[in-house]
Amino acid sequence: MEAASYFWLGFGSAVGTLIVHKLWCKVAFGTGTVRGQPFADAPGRMAKLSWGETHYVIHGAGGKMEFTPGRKLIVLVHGFAGSAAVWKTARYLEVLEAAGYDVLIYDNWGHGFTDGPDIGYSAELFAGQLAELLLHLDVRGEFDLLGFSMGGAIATVFTHRFGSRVGKLVLQAPSIARDNFFPARAGIRLLNCMPFLRELMALLIFPHFGEGANSNNSAVVRAAYRLTHTMMYGSWCVGPTHQEDMFKDIVASGKEIMFMWGNKDTAVSIVCAPRLLEIAGDVPFVEGQGADHMTFSELGTDLGAEVGGKFRRALVAFLEGREVEDRRGKGAVVLEEDVK
């Protein structure tokens, strides 16, 4: 066979494989907007935004689904393949409400009850979603912001863009460090080089991944699949600026910041903490002894109850301007006051 024939055979095979892979992806993850969990089961309300319906919950005074005039507001941002349900499970809502805060929680695009648009997913996209949701709800004043895991990157991007809107910034096991924020990144890169197999693995893994089973949510499977491509090189951002560099700018602006982290976290490793503390300087750092990524929400266990209580107490103390003892990862944080 002549060289030209080999060339055209190879070229045709490559094009054919590409076409088949594109069709396979459409079959595997669908096209257009994919619905999240059934709207009828949603505990909150839906906001019609640019890319579809966003599910949100306002937890006001007495648990009412409305903002309370004169009360401070805190917004909580969940993580990768999770949902806003984690904040209720971890009892953050009731503790913050008891401390005099209104709380806004919501599901990121493709997560929970929120629609999954057929677009690329990134921290920039989610930060824009939060900005649009706040505009929809006519929230115009300053508020405090907490980001967990990937939500830490979202909170960082939002604060970098809209620094004057954010009062205090709380980063819980935040995926913002340039190195090592995902220990399995090398394996993810390798899997990403294997078309067809990578989609199959996503279909098998992501329905049971994250802050709770996602078996009834095809939107989160597609969102998680695309987010994996976004973060495999160490960033949730697709723009020219890494979230760690945004964090440096936030620190330079003088923003009040606190970290909370489990010292056995295997999803967003605490080995990133020294790098971030070197940037942040003398800020409160609350360590959950023996805690993994989700331990703070596993309140049915002794360790979960202990770590969850510690995090909730530290959060309220920090927001109220009370001292949070800083051990810099050398031991458990002991607070002077307790919040039931």
Side-chain angles (χ1 to χ4, degrees), residues 77-82 108-109 111 121-123 126 147-157 172-176 181-182 211 223-224 227-228 230-231 236 243 268 293:
V77 187
H78 71 79
F80 174 78
N108 290 311
W109 292 123
H111 293 70
Y121 290 80
S122 67
F126 295 136
F148 167 56
S149 193
M150 181 187 72
I154 298 168
T156 297
V157 174
Q172 182 174 332
S175 295
I176 60 176
F181 80 84
F182 235 99
E211 298 157 15
L227 279 165
T228 300
T230 301
M231 57 63 59
W236 296 106
Q243 65 253 356
V268 183
H293 203 52

Side-chain angles (χ1 to χ4, degrees), residues 29-304:
F29 303 113
T31 59
T33 298
V34 178
R35 294 293 186 187
Q37 294 169 311
F39 286 176
D41 299 332
R45 297 172 180 165
M46 308 303 296
K48 181 66 175 178
L49 306 181
S50 296
W51 291 107
E53 299 273 3
T54 288
H55 172 248
Y56 69 93
V57 178
I58 299 171
H59 197 82
K64 293 182 179 178
M65 184 65 177
E66 58 187 29
F67 293 122
T68 311
R71 279 166 62 103
K72 294 182 178 179
L73 172 66
I74 183 169
V75 179
L76 312 182
V77 187
H78 71 79
F80 174 78
S83 75
V86 68
W87 305 119
K88 181 177 181 180
T89 303
R91 291 186 57 210
Y92 279 36
L93 300 183
E94 61 183 271
V95 169
L96 288 165
E97 189 273 328
Y101 282 80
D102 284 351
V103 187
L104 172 63
I105 61 176
Y106 69 101
D107 292 327
N108 290 311
W109 292 123
H111 293 70
F113 297 96
T114 292
D115 283 345
D118 194 3
I119 54 177
Y121 290 80
S122 67
E124 294 99 330
L125 174 75
F126 295 136
Q129 177 190 14
L130 174 56
E132 191 175 2
L133 177 61
L134 293 169
L135 184 62
H136 175 87
L137 298 174
D138 197 31
V139 176
R140 301 181 182 276
E142 183 182 273
F143 57 89
D144 297 322
L145 183 60
L146 185 158
F148 167 56
S149 193
M150 181 187 72
I154 298 168
T156 297
V157 174
F158 183 91
T159 305
H160 190 258
R161 288 181 177 177
F162 309 103
S164 63
R165 301 293 310 279
V166 179
K168 296 183 178 183
L169 177 63
V170 181
L171 298 171
Q172 182 174 332
S175 295
I176 60 176
R178 182 170 267 103
D179 297 323
N180 300 318
F181 80 84
F182 235 99
R185 201 168 66 219
I188 293 172
R189 286 184 184 177
L190 178 62
L191 184 61
N192 189 62
C193 298
M194 303 177 183
F196 300 101
L197 178 60
R198 68 194 187 199
E199 289 80 27
L200 179 60
M201 292 300 293
L203 293 172
L204 292 174
I205 294 173
F206 288 135
H208 311 285
F209 186 82
E211 298 157 15
N214 292 309
S215 57
N216 295 320
N217 189 349
S218 57
V220 77
V221 174
R222 184 171 70 181
Y225 169 75
R226 293 183 178 176
L227 279 165
T228 300
H229 292 282
T230 301
M231 57 63 59
M232 67 179 176
Y233 293 109
S235 178
W236 296 106
C237 297
V238 296
T241 306
H242 193 281
Q243 65 253 356
E244 185 182 289
D245 296 323
M246 296 184 191
F247 180 64
K248 291 177 182 177
D249 291 341
I250 293 170
V251 171
S253 73
K255 190 74 64 184
E256 290 189 70
I257 299 167
M258 181 178 75
F259 289 100
M260 300 192 294
W261 220 316
N263 70 348
K264 299 297 183 182
D265 198 328
T266 56
V268 183
S269 177
I270 198 171
V271 300
C272 305
R275 182 183 184 91
L276 297 177
L277 287 171
E278 183 180 356
I279 297 170
D282 187 21
V283 300
F285 185 93
V286 182
E287 178 184 341
Q289 290 292 306
D292 205 334
H293 203 52
M294 299 303 302
T295 302
F296 77 100
S297 65
E298 298 166 349
L299 304 187
T301 67
D302 290 342
L303 180 60

